[in-house]
Amino acid sequence: MSGTILAGTAVPAHAQDTPAAQPPASQPPAVQPTIAVDNTIRSIVVNGSQRLESTTVLSYMKLRVGQTYTQEAADQALKDLFETELFKDVSIRNNGGAVVIDVIENPVINRILLEGNKRIKEDKIRPEIRLAPRQIFTRSKVRADVARIVELYKRKGRFAASVEPKMVQLDQNRVDIVFEVNEGPKSKVQQINIIGNNVFSDGKLRGEMATKQSRFYRFFSSSDTYDPDRLAFDQQKLRQFYLTEGYADFRVISAVAELTPDKRDFIITYVVEEGDRYKFGDVTVESEIRDFTPETLTPLLPMKEGDFYNAKQVEDTVESLSETAGLFGYAFADVRPEFNRDKETLTMGINFQVAESDRVYVERIDINGNTLTVDKVVRREFRLNEGDAFNSFQVKRSANRIKSLGFFQDELEIEQKQGSAPDRIILEANVEERATGELQLSAGFSSVENFILQASVRQRNFRGKGQELRASVSYSSFSQSVELGFTEPYLFDRNIAVGVDVFRRDLNSFNFVGNDRETTFEQLTTGFQVRAGVPITEYLSASLRYGLSYDDVTLDRDLFFTDSDGDNVRGNNPNDTCDPLVAGRFLCDAIGKRTTSSIGASLIYDDRDNRVRPTRGQTVVGSLDFAGLGGSVKYLRGRLNAAKYWRVLGNFIFSVSAEGGYIHPLENRGSAADGIDDIRLTDRFFLGEPQIRGFDIRGVGPRVIRSRFTPDVVDGRAVNTIIDFREDRSNVTDDAIGGRAYYLGRAELEIPLGSGARELGLRPSIFVDAGAVFNVTQPLLIDQRVQALDANGAPLFITVDANGGVVSTTDAVDANGVANEPSLVAGSFSEQFFGDSAKPRVSVGIGVNWNSPFGPFRIDVARALLKEPGDDTKLFTFNVGTQF
């Protein structure tokens, strides 16, 4: 664009930049000088304006009718018009006092388009663009938008990104603006050089940095991308490392990041000066607080004279002394370390000065940010009340209890503010509410069940009063259930928790014969439980519960009952009974109707910092249940659970847990010779997924496997072989029968990831599970092919019925010495008993928790390392849900 003044003398042109896609406007032809007789402006006319009124154009400049026309005034008018950024071109002519202003208006933006952006979505780039449709196009705004887009890509580690703006001319002086983005590769840190380090190797120092060198195995990490902010952070990390090692004079002289010649990656070079290594000199404490005496505090200091200087230890000591002062009510105690450096002896003497401070009392407790949760739900978790003496430990404990509710953000802190007087403090909890409703869907696969589906709805902060309301439905080939529950944590605003659960569960066991599924037994349970809990101390609480349930265990009469009337139809006669030959003796023993009335108590110790996602602390739960308060079932059952959590190696979270239980019968149901256990099948312990990963549901422990015989041909002869369940598990009957005792242990290490993965909510872990369930009376087994000896000692094959009666006998060897096989009836089988062993089953695996956009997602891959014959393993499970 150009501007020209025609007034007898040429005036220098003023031009603006031209966008990449727009060719520069041609310069106006040379102006022939004229002689002005009278330079007084008699009229001003504006030509070429379309959207703007002539008076509006004139208002942008200072030329007025009646003024003397000069080159300087015309030049200033031209500049004023161009500064409005409304015009593509402007020229001024003076024809004997008649001033003519010719303008070409800048176009109006019709649309703004983005092309070529793949790594950064359009909704992330749009906020960086200030231009908008229906605005006047200006090149300065386009350049500013290009700079902001490029800066956005730099923040994402793409320093080779470029943006080319293009203008598409439309009719009616309109344009489309197209930002063509060349994202380029992500800029990596190709190399990190360190100059000046003599004590520690380059590799050691690189390990202390947040920035890493680009390597092929870091494809899951963003630590090898270049980030200028991280460069400054790494300098601080280096300084912290050297200060913890005693090098008090360490400094980073320079840190330079240079682009590689291909403009793709960076090479970072640090120049450092290590200095001398210091040791602690005299370490003392001076206190102006009467409760704090140097004689008491000095022996408690972690550093000793002669130890290598450690700045982190000094910081921790200052924090520890401040917290200790807070325990005595001095919230604003000022602890300052005074350093005495001796460069000759290379010692660092430290005097911790505790300034005089008033004992502080809680003036007020403020709670901000709770839009749904009522105040009292948060206030009742405070371990301090208004008017109490300040105690830093109780403040920290209050924050942990509020976080354990699970209603607010994880990084919640209680802010301490100065009150209306020096001895008054205001505690302010700034909470940020998050979703407390949970809609969870669980799904899984197994070789036995094929598909498992569970759905549950849970509101942990019902009506904002901290109440819990839940409902769940599950469906699988093993079970279908419906459960409803409600918990009131503070009954009548007193620290008494009460709850009630109502449930109906339909549990069945089955097997496949070919593609046909046969249900072996079905347990229908209907019942309820009421419970109450009260705290004994801050960390110890007790709970009581009463439950009443009705069980109806049945078998399919058409499949598993006898044909007593000889009409070839099973189960149609009241005299028909369970056929052990078909169902198995242990299942025939389980059928029937029974009522269980039980009362139980638990003692709980829990000092975890967060019940939802603990990082430190432990929990121990002991429980005892007695069944026999009425009803038809009598037993005594005890359980013990314990877990402990640590922060290790920085931000790793390591946890170990263990549990075990035993159930003792209080009734005599039969003798071991009859294969009857005094604890019913439905009351025993079972173990498998999800308790012990790497094994299927009820995949561990005592079980009866019924294998069928199938015809085969060996060496040209027809023989009968038994199905090997280890090769074909789907064509055998696998019935877990549980045990009286079990134990289970687990060790898990949660692995912290980089900031990018943390933003995605990824929390991977590795784990080891070990456990067993055992101690049950072995049921009497059925074998329809038994090898025995006749009276002369010759081998026989005998086929028996369920009661042990002989059906037929066959010589094992004929007169010619050729082996015989018994003639088996269709469906002949042999039962085997496995798994009644206390030997541990062990599995290892990896799992990932992901707070995905559609809800929490958990995936586990586990492999069984130790197992016993008969155990049913499982490699892969996943769980997905959502929150509202």
Side-chain angles (χ1 to χ4, degrees):
M1 291 182 288
S2 65
T4 308
I5 304 173
L6 306 178
T9 305
V11 177
H14 296 266
Q16 290 182 322
D17 295 335
T18 302
Q22 180 73 17
S26 61
Q27 297 294 327
V31 180
Q32 298 297 327
T34 61
I35 299 175
V37 177
D38 185 359
N39 286 332
T40 300
I41 300 175
R42 295 183 177 86
S43 65
I44 301 176
V45 177
V46 178
N47 293 330
S49 59
Q50 298 177 2
R51 296 184 305 274
L52 300 174
E53 298 291 340
S54 296
T55 55
T56 303
V57 177
L58 293 175
S59 68
Y60 293 140
M61 61 184 185
K62 296 178 181 179
L63 284 180
R64 295 292 182 268
V65 174
Q67 292 180 350
T68 301
Y69 184 88
T70 64
Q71 297 178 5
E72 291 79 7
D75 186 52
Q76 184 62 46
L78 196 62
K79 290 175 62 177
D80 292 342
L81 290 176
F82 274 125
E83 283 178 355
T84 65
E85 296 189 332
L86 297 174
F87 306 103
K88 177 180 179 182
D89 196 8
V90 180
S91 64
I92 299 178
R93 302 191 311 272
N94 180 21
N95 297 323
V99 177
V100 178
I101 302 175
D102 296 314
V103 299
I104 300 176
E105 294 178 342
N106 272 335
V108 175
I109 297 173
N110 179 55
R111 292 183 304 169
I112 297 175
L113 305 174
L114 285 166
E115 293 182 358
N117 57 305
K118 297 179 181 179
R119 299 296 180 180
I120 301 181
K121 299 301 181 184
E122 188 167 325
D123 60 344
K124 301 294 184 183
I125 300 178
R126 285 286 179 182
E128 305 296 328
I129 300 175
R130 300 292 186 263
L131 286 173
R134 295 184 294 279
Q135 285 185 356
I136 303 300
F137 167 83
T138 65
R139 284 168 174 77
S140 61
K141 290 183 179 179
V142 171
R143 288 195 298 268
D145 286 345
V146 167
R148 279 189 291 269
I149 296 172
V150 170
E151 182 61 29
L152 175 63
Y153 273 92
K154 287 182 178 179
R155 292 199 300 267
K156 298 295 183 181
R158 296 183 180 274
F159 284 80
S162 62
V163 179
E164 182 180 358
K166 292 188 176 180
M167 186 170 64
V168 180
Q169 193 72 43
L170 304 175
D171 57 359
Q172 299 179 355
N173 201 20
R174 296 175 302 127
V175 292
D176 285 343
I177 305 299
V178 181
F179 292 100
E180 290 190 353
V181 181
N182 179 14
E183 295 181 317
K186 204 164 190 177
S187 299
K188 303 285 188 180
V189 177
Q190 188 180 96
Q191 188 174 342
I192 299 176
N193 299 321
I194 305 173
I195 301 173
N197 55 311
N198 298 314
V199 180
F200 299 102
S201 66
D202 288 5
K204 176 64 176 177
L205 297 181
R206 291 190 194 110
E208 297 296 325
M209 299 179 185
T211 303
K212 305 298 181 184
Q213 295 182 134
S214 178
R215 296 293 183 266
F216 73 92
Y217 51 80
R218 290 199 172 103
F219 54 88
F220 276 135
S221 173
S222 61
S223 61
D224 59 350
T225 59
Y226 175 71
D227 185 343
D229 295 333
R230 197 185 292 154
L231 187 67
F233 178 70
D234 284 337
Q235 295 180 57
Q236 185 63 26
K237 292 276 289 182
L238 283 175
R239 177 166 174 75
Q240 289 177 353
F241 170 71
Y242 270 94
L243 288 177
T244 58
E245 296 294 331
Y247 294 88
D249 295 328
F250 172 83
R251 64 192 183 103
V252 178
I253 297 175
S254 66
V256 179
E258 297 176 303
L259 274 170
T260 54
D262 59 5
K263 306 297 184 183
R264 293 169 62 94
D265 297 327
F266 280 85
I267 297 175
I268 301 176
T269 302
Y270 294 94
V271 179
V272 302
E273 183 180 313
E274 293 179 323
D276 296 317
R277 193 177 192 185
Y278 286 75
K279 293 184 177 181
F280 282 112
D282 292 334
V283 182
T284 58
V285 178
E286 290 183 4
S287 174
E288 297 178 3
I289 299 178
R290 63 178 184 177
D291 298 314
F292 274 35
T293 61
E295 295 77 16
T296 304
L297 295 175
T298 302
L300 301 179
L301 298 179
M303 67 282 292
K304 305 298 179 185
E305 185 177 356
D307 294 345
F308 282 111
Y309 173 74
N310 187 327
K312 181 66 167 59
Q313 208 170 36
V314 175
E315 292 177 6
D316 293 343
T317 302
V318 171
E319 184 177 351
S320 176
L321 289 173
S322 299
E323 289 184 355
T324 305
L327 292 177
F328 289 90
Y330 299 96
F332 302 110
D334 185 14
V335 181
R336 296 182 181 179
E338 186 181 70
F339 297 92
N340 181 20
R341 182 181 313 197
D342 189 335
K343 293 189 176 182
E344 293 184 1
T345 61
L346 296 179
T347 58
M348 183 76 73
I350 300 179
N351 179 31
F352 293 96
Q353 296 180 335
V354 184
E356 184 178 2
S357 177
D358 294 326
R359 189 183 292 274
V360 178
Y361 297 87
V362 178
E363 178 181 348
R364 193 171 72 248
I365 296 175
D366 293 336
I367 301 169
N368 304 319
N370 52 317
T371 57
L372 171 66
T373 307
V374 297
D375 269 16
K376 70 177 182 180
V377 173
V378 182
R379 288 185 181 276
R380 65 197 183 194
E381 300 303 326
F382 272 86
R383 302 296 92 182
L384 289 168
N385 294 317
E386 294 170 349
D388 288 351
F390 176 82
N391 186 303
S392 59
F393 175 79
Q394 297 290 12
V395 172
K396 183 178 291 187
R397 176 62 182 164
S398 300
N400 287 339
R401 287 182 64 92
I402 295 172
K403 286 188 287 187
S404 293
L405 293 173
F407 305 160
F408 310 110
Q409 77 274 21
D410 292 333
E411 302 301 324
L412 182 144
E413 297 291 341
I414 297 177
E415 189 175 349
Q416 303 168 21
K417 294 184 175 181
Q418 179 67 58
S420 59
D423 63 344
R424 295 289 183 266
I425 189 172
I426 297 173
L427 301 180
E428 187 175 280
N430 296 305
V431 301
E432 180 183 335
E433 290 188 319
R434 62 183 181 186
T436 55
E438 297 176 4
L439 171 62
Q440 188 169 16
L441 298 176
S442 303
F445 298 90
S446 75
S447 60
V448 177
E449 281 212 286
N450 294 333
F451 190 72
I452 309 160
L453 179 64
Q454 293 179 321
S456 64
V457 178
R458 180 186 178 202
Q459 175 54 260
R460 294 180 287 109
N461 191 14
F462 184 58
R463 301 188 300 165
K465 295 183 177 182
Q467 300 165 336
E468 181 178 308
L469 183 66
R470 60 191 176 277
S472 65
V473 177
S474 69
Y475 176 83
S476 72
S477 302
F478 265 125
S479 64
Q480 301 86 43
S481 68
V482 177
E483 299 189 26
L484 301 174
F486 176 78
T487 301
E488 168 57 69
Y490 278 76
L491 183 65
F492 305 127
D493 290 330
R494 296 182 179 274
N495 201 356
I496 302 174
V498 296
V500 60
D501 300 291
V502 180
F503 53 86
R504 182 178 178 88
R505 306 185 186 110
D506 185 359
L507 175 68
N508 59 73
S509 183
F510 63 90
N511 66 85
F512 285 96
V513 179
N515 293 323
D516 298 327
R517 169 176 152 169
E518 293 183 353
T519 299
T520 53
F521 81 97
E522 183 175 8
Q523 177 188 352
L524 185 62
T525 304
T526 305
F528 72 91
Q529 184 184 78
V530 292
R531 44 197 160 72
V534 294
I536 300 174
T537 66
E538 176 64 21
Y539 302 111
L540 187 65
S541 61
S543 66
L544 295 172
R545 57 190 168 272
Y546 172 77
L548 180 65
S549 62
Y550 175 77
D551 292 297
D552 185 7
V553 180
T554 59
L555 298 176
D556 189 334
R557 297 178 63 89
D558 294 338
L559 291 176
F560 300 107
F561 276 56
T562 61
D563 177 19
S564 60
D565 53 8
D567 60 358
N568 294 323
V569 179
R570 294 176 179 269
N572 66 339
N573 190 302
N575 295 325
D576 290 350
T577 58
C578 179
D579 187 352
L581 189 62
V582 180
R585 290 188 177 92
F586 65 96
L587 286 181
C588 289
D589 172 65
I591 62 174
K593 299 177 180 180
R594 59 189 64 94
T595 302
T596 303
S597 175
S598 65
I599 187 171
S602 296
L603 196 63
I604 306 108
Y605 178 85
D606 189 351
D607 68 351
R608 294 172 296 174
D609 61 343
N610 191 323
R611 296 189 185 96
V612 179
R613 191 177 295 172
T615 61
R616 62 176 62 89
Q618 53 270 323
T619 177
V620 180
V621 180
S623 62
L624 192 65
D625 290 275
F626 166 70
L629 199 67
S632 55
V633 177
K634 295 178 175 58
Y635 61 75
L636 188 65
R637 180 174 59 202
R639 285 183 176 177
L640 183 65
N641 301 61
K644 187 171 178 61
Y645 302 84
W646 298 269
R647 273 194 187 274
V648 298
L649 302 175
N651 291 323
F652 288 81
I653 299 174
F654 179 65
S655 63
V656 293
S657 61
E659 62 178 280
Y662 183 79
I663 182 168
H664 179 72
L666 299 178
E667 59 180 328
N668 186 359
R669 301 178 55 242
S671 64
D674 298 327
I676 298 175
D677 196 288
D678 291 333
I679 298 296
R680 290 175 172 82
L681 175 69
T682 54
D683 296 324
R684 299 170 196 162
F685 294 115
F686 293 87
L687 197 60
E689 190 265 329
Q691 302 100 328
I692 178 168
R693 291 160 290 190
F695 292 86
D696 207 346
I697 297 174
R698 298 190 174 190
V700 171
R703 60 209 322 103
V704 172
I705 295 181
R706 177 179 290 194
S707 303
R708 302 183 184 277
F709 295 104
T710 59
D712 200 356
V713 177
V714 177
D715 296 332
R717 294 187 304 108
V719 298
N720 291 291
T721 59
I722 191 169
I723 295 176
D724 188 346
F725 70 86
R726 291 165 296 186
E727 297 178 358
D728 187 4
R729 193 120 193 173
S730 63
N731 281 306
V732 300
T733 304
D734 182 357
D735 289 305
I737 62 175
R740 295 189 187 184
Y742 86 101
Y743 66 87
L744 174 64
R746 174 179 298 164
E748 189 159 6
L749 181 66
E750 186 175 307
I751 304 171
L753 297 179
S755 58
R758 285 199 304 270
E759 290 176 2
L760 292 175
L762 291 173
R763 291 187 296 115
S765 64
I766 56 176
F767 57 83
V768 178
D769 293 347
V773 59
F774 53 95
N775 191 9
V776 69
T777 301
Q778 179 176 331
L780 295 182
L781 303 176
I782 301 171
D783 192 338
Q784 288 188 300
R785 187 180 69 168
V786 179
Q787 184 172 356
L789 298 176
D790 61 13
N792 299 319
L796 292 174
F797 284 122
I798 306 173
T799 301
V800 299
D801 60 18
N803 298 316
V806 176
V807 176
S808 62
T809 61
T810 306
D811 291 336
V813 181
D814 63 15
N816 299 319
V818 179
N820 287 325
E821 284 289 326
S823 177
L824 298 179
V825 296
S828 298
F829 61 87
S830 174
E831 289 182 341
Q832 296 171 285
F833 179 66
F834 293 101
D836 190 11
S837 171
K839 293 181 179 179
R841 280 69 157 178
V842 179
S843 65
V844 297
I846 59 174
V848 177
N849 277 311
W850 176 33
N851 292 332
S852 67
F854 49 85
F857 185 91
R858 170 82 189 188
I859 182 172
D860 288 299
V861 179
R863 184 175 184 84
L865 295 183
L866 295 179
K867 60 180 181 178
E868 292 294 308
D871 290 345
D872 195 5
T873 59
K874 181 178 183 180
L875 181 66
F876 169 82
T877 57
F878 70 90
N879 176 286
V880 64
T882 188
Q883 293 185 332
F884 60 91

